[in-house]
Amino acid sequence: MLFTKKATFRGGVPVPHWKNTAEAETLQMGVPSKVYIPMLQHIGAPCTPVVNKGDTVKVGQVIGTSDKLISAPIHSSVSGRVTNVAPMVVFNGQSVMTVEIETDGLQEVHEDVKPPVFNNKEEFLEQLKKSGLVGLGGAGFPTHVKLAPPPGKEVDTLIINGSECEPYITSDYREIIENSWNILLGVYTLVDLFGFKNVWIGIEDNKPEAIKVLSNIAAKDDKYSDVVKVVKLKSRYPQGAEKMLIYACTGRKVPPGKLPADVGVIVMNINSVSFIREYIRTGMPLVKKRVTVDGPAVKNPANVEVPIGTPIADVFEFCGGFRSEPVKVLMGGPMMGVAQYSLQYPVLKHTNALIALDEKSAKIPPEGPCIRCGRCVDVCPMNLMPLHINRHSLHGDVEALEKYHANDCMECGCCSYVCPAKRHLVQSIRLAKAQLRQAATAAAAKGGK
Ligand code: SF4
Ligand code: SF4
């Protein structure tokens, strides 16, 4: 079933889309000579490596585990020999224990890889944990934890995020076009197990083909057609942000500091539900990822499916290398992506795009003084006052930063995008958050004395 009323949220900005890779089929990248698999690729506790230098490994073999509640196991994406287990700096500048594997090119599958067997929700969650699935849209929250909200939180609604509102990125779109049945079958499994009363699949109106394909399939099955609805969302950044999507689909507002489950909702990325279906069919854990490779500096933009742990440099090389010197490489889109300091950093479970910018597109204009036009306030989807947070973070006024709720900022970048004075608002809000953390740590230490 298709909901035709265009749903949206307050604030946000229209951004140019440059979805250059939307119409091309996903390419399969071969196995690189080496992969680097960090033991932290999710929100939560890092894994401890369970392999040593010199061990041989196969595809799908567990190489890292954790007994902490919020974590997800990590598997080898290749067959080969472990050549090192040591700390490595990853995409966000953190140093993380990493398993380095020299591949043998055989891609032998580990004998433990078998379709999971489950008879109820609890057994399904146990099996899902073993798959290593984390949110594939970029957040990386372990899915088996997300699907088990704490007691007392009644969840009746599942929202599938297919909005993909960042410029360039088409990884979710290609999943819809190439594996639409997998997505719906994954959704139906979740409805049967968890009893969701409503499932909303949210897709922006600039992807009419995706909306058509999924709503046609959703309408076919009488058992689910009243529950599962495709909703056409107004194309507006950051439509894919969890709180915006929940409001657009259901009209429910997630209060600051609360989670979707507090308003009866779980949000999952469209690639994550599709993965669930594939995992049930094959038992292969999360070992590969579709990545949109694009940006003005890239020679042949494409969606590429790569083994997790592949160095970024190898992925760009597969796409023909660079047409001009890349001045900035982002993991993620241009609005919220993280700048990479080395092309040796590996692709992770939640990497959805690699964007290479040339000199012109990466240029940061100099800051001017704030003219108090209020545009940053108008576009902020979190109802914040970025101009004031900016001013107070520059003066280190922690009390004022608390008063202006700096911690509620989701760093979407809308304020910086519209600011005519080109104020570096997001950077200063990140600084504000660090100042608040520092003040909280100092207060706790003082209280502990
Ligand atoms: S948009 Fe820029 S110039 Fe306008 S009020 Fe905000 S910070 Fe100041
Ligand atoms: S203040 Fe934060 S949430 Fe608001 S527009 Fe700026 S980056 Fe986005």
Side-chain angles (χ1 to χ4, degrees):
M1 186 194 283
L2 169 64
F3 248 65
T4 46
K5 185 176 156 281
K6 275 187 204 167
T8 191
F9 60 98
R10 181 215 164 267
V13 288
V15 291
H17 277 275
W18 304 312
K19 304 276 189 186
N20 308 312
T21 54
E23 299 316 319
E25 252 181 58
T26 305
L27 304 175
Q28 302 295 321
M29 185 176 160
V31 182
S33 58
K34 267 191 178 175
V35 292
Y36 301 83
I37 306 185
M39 294 292 105
L40 183 60
Q41 302 189 38
H42 47 261
I43 291 176
C47 289
T48 304
V50 293
V51 289
N52 296 303
K53 187 173 172 180
D55 288 354
T56 54
V57 290
K58 293 180 181 171
V59 180
Q61 179 175 340
V62 175
I63 57 169
T65 59
S66 166
D67 57 7
K68 298 282 184 286
L69 176 69
I70 302 181
S71 191
I74 290 171
H75 304 80
S76 178
S77 57
V78 295
S79 62
R81 193 172 57 88
V82 176
T83 43
N84 205 3
V85 180
M88 178 184 179
V89 175
V90 294
F91 80 107
N92 57 2
Q94 240 184 315
S95 178
V96 174
M97 195 56 86
T98 298
V99 175
E100 178 189 306
I101 304 167
E102 198 172 72
T103 61
D104 59 15
L106 301 174
Q107 288 303 79
E108 266 188 86
V109 174
H110 193 260
E111 34 289 0
D112 284 351
V113 174
K114 291 187 188 107
V117 178
F118 56 90
N119 296 301
N120 52 44
K121 184 170 85 176
E122 288 71 29
E123 288 176 10
F124 169 76
L125 289 174
E126 272 296 304
Q127 296 299 321
L128 188 63
K129 181 180 179 181
K130 289 185 191 164
S131 78
L133 179 62
V134 303
L136 299 180
F141 192 80
T143 308
H144 66 281
V145 183
K146 181 180 267 198
L147 283 168
K153 296 200 193 303
E154 288 302 317
V155 173
D156 63 354
T157 299
L158 174 67
I159 296 180
I160 308 299
N161 188 356
S163 52
E164 209 161 46
C165 56
E166 276 256 14
Y168 293 113
I169 308 179
T170 59
S171 162
D172 290 348
Y173 178 75
R174 287 312 307 171
E175 187 66 17
I176 298 171
I177 299 301
E178 295 173 26
N179 294 314
S180 42
W181 267 104
N182 258 8
I183 294 167
L184 267 304
L185 293 173
V187 167
Y188 297 161
T189 302
L190 295 175
V191 171
D192 287 343
L193 286 166
F194 294 87
F196 294 114
K197 292 196 175 71
N198 305 294
V199 179
W200 301 90
I201 304 177
I203 303 175
E204 284 194 337
D205 60 358
N206 61 355
K207 304 172 189 75
E209 189 58 26
I211 293 171
K212 192 171 113 190
V213 167
L214 286 188
S215 44
N216 281 349
I217 300 177
K220 273 191 181 126
D221 200 317
D222 286 347
K223 186 177 167 200
Y224 302 98
S225 59
D226 283 346
V227 178
V228 182
K229 295 153 200 123
V230 178
V231 58
K232 194 191 274 188
L233 303 165
K234 193 169 168 192
S235 175
R236 190 167 184 82
Y237 178 84
Q239 182 63 83
E242 232 171 34
K243 290 186 178 183
M244 279 65 255
L245 191 61
I246 291 170
Y247 180 73
C249 292
T250 67
R252 300 179 197 176
K253 285 186 185 170
V254 183
K258 297 287 180 188
L259 296 169
D262 290 306
V263 296
V265 177
I266 287 175
V267 180
M268 289 179 70
N269 171 264
I270 213 150
N271 266 294
S272 301
V273 274
S274 190
F275 170 84
I276 286 177
R277 174 63 195 171
E278 202 52 20
Y279 175 62
I280 291 170
R281 200 177 68 78
T282 65
M284 180 57 77
L286 184 56
V287 294
K288 56 187 180 178
K289 188 74 209 287
R290 181 192 291 106
V291 179
T292 302
V293 186
D294 204 342
V298 175
K299 206 161 187 184
N300 304 317
N303 273 294
V304 187
E305 196 163 73
V306 302
I308 286 168
T310 301
I312 294 172
D314 292 15
V315 184
F316 280 118
E317 200 182 303
F318 180 77
C319 293
F322 298 111
R323 64 172 73 239
S324 57
E325 188 63 29
V327 174
K328 196 184 221 179
V329 170
L330 298 168
M331 191 174 274
M335 298 298 283
M336 287 188 83
V338 179
Q340 302 298 291
Y341 291 97
S342 166
L343 294 185
Q344 280 315 303
Y345 291 173
V347 168
L348 306 175
K349 289 180 182 181
H350 53 80
T351 305
N352 54 4
L354 294 169
I355 308 295
L357 304 176
D358 59 10
E359 196 165 356
K360 191 172 158 213
S361 55
K363 201 168 176 191
I364 299 173
E367 274 188 302
C370 171
I371 56 168
R372 301 179 80 81
C373 64
R375 282 191 213 176
C376 55
V377 180
D378 291 344
V379 299
C380 178
M382 300 300 287
N383 294 317
L384 301 176
M385 304 186 90
L387 75 162
H388 294 314
I389 303 176
N390 176 245
R391 185 162 51 92
H392 293 302
S393 78
L394 296 178
H395 292 121
D397 186 342
V398 175
E399 229 171 87
L401 292 176
E402 256 170 33
K403 185 177 141 204
Y404 284 104
H405 304 286
N407 272 333
D408 291 347
C409 168
M410 59 169 172
E411 300 175 21
C412 67
C414 291
C415 50
S416 300
Y417 184 77
V418 295
C419 176
K422 307 296 174 205
R423 307 280 311 153
H424 299 168
L425 297 171
V426 180
Q427 285 91 328
S428 69
I429 296 170
R430 283 191 191 127
L431 175 68
K433 289 182 181 178
Q435 289 164 337
L436 286 167
R437 273 197 303 275
Q438 233 170 19
T441 312
K446 215 169 153 190
K449 271 183 190 168

